[in-house]
Amino acid sequence: MADTPEFLVQCATAEEADRALGLGFAVETTRAVAAACGAPAADDAESLESLEDVLEAHLRPYGDDGPPEGSEGGRLP
């Protein structure tokens, strides 16, 4: 299985990237174009930590305690 998304758009300008992202496509571009679109720098540790926090909250919405008693399947409604 390939590591790239099925709908990957290569963008040369910030306008192209904004348009493709707005349509729901994955975008591949240069660091300069990504920065013009407001993307964090690849080595920005603070952004990486906040991304990890978001993923953790999504994957484990109840934290270490697990789902409350009586909930079915452990998923949010």
Side-chain angles (χ1 to χ4, degrees), residues 8 31 37 45-46 50 52 54:
L8 178 66
R31 289 180 189 255
C37 292
E46 185 177 317
S50 82
E52 289 172 351
V54 169

Side-chain angles (χ1 to χ4, degrees), residues 12-60:
T13 66
E15 293 80 23
E16 289 176 350
D18 282 339
R19 192 173 329 116
L21 289 169
L23 293 172
F25 293 102
V27 173
E28 181 178 79
T29 191
T30 64
R31 289 180 189 255
V33 171
C37 292
D43 59 349
D44 188 356
E46 185 177 317
S47 295
L48 181 59
E49 288 173 6
S50 82
L51 176 60
E52 289 172 351
D53 291 341
V54 169
L55 288 173
E56 181 71 16
H58 177 72
L59 295 174
R60 300 177 62 200

